Amino acid sequence: MRAAKPFTSALSTAAILDIAQLSQARHKFIRHYSSGMKQRLKLALAFLADTPLLLLDEPLSNLDKNAAQWYKQMIEQYGSTRTIVVCSNAIAEEHYFCSRSINVMDYKQK
């Protein structure tokens, strides 16, 4: 049994931290990361996993403006070869790249 999904390529821990823009915090325990740092790490691990489907739930939560730009770069670099489903509270920056959308309010019973 595998403990984690394989990465898209052989990446070292240092490379993952660099991609997540967390190299400066490599000696910290994750529990001491800020909420934005934790969100970037989770997103980086999701984007770098070798999977055909990526599910993102409010991916910009806890991210500042610079990290939101990083998210867009991750979408461009690692999102083109897979299906991505984004759950969002209508924040356009979270799902700007999606070709289809479902508004759950359209299906709410009255």
Side-chain angles (χ1 to χ4, degrees), residues 67-106:
Q69 185 60 38
W70 169 85
Y71 166 77
K72 290 179 180 182
Q73 292 169 351
M74 294 296 286
I75 290 291
E76 291 172 17
Q77 188 167 358
Y78 297 101
S80 64
T81 61
R82 55 175 40 147
T83 300
I84 302 175
V85 177
V86 180
C87 296
S88 173
N89 285 326
I91 299 173
E93 291 83 20
E94 289 182 322
H95 56 82
Y96 70 93
F97 58 90
C98 294
S99 59
R100 292 184 240 161
S101 66
I102 298 172
N103 185 342
V104 294
M105 296 307 285
D106 293 343

Side-chain angles (χ1 to χ4, degrees), residues 4-50:
K5 293 174 183 66
F7 291 116
T8 54
S9 61
L11 294 170
S12 66
T13 302
I16 294 167
L17 289 173
D18 189 46
I19 291 168
Q21 298 180 347
L22 295 168
S23 295
Q24 77 287 356
R26 70 182 171 276
H27 298 297
K28 284 186 173 184
F29 288 108
I30 294 171
R31 69 176 175 247
H32 297 297
Y33 280 13
S34 69
S35 57
M37 293 166 75
K38 288 177 185 176
Q39 183 72 354
R40 275 200 324 272
L41 180 59
K42 289 185 250 184
L43 285 169
L45 292 174
F47 277 113
L48 297 173
D50 187 15

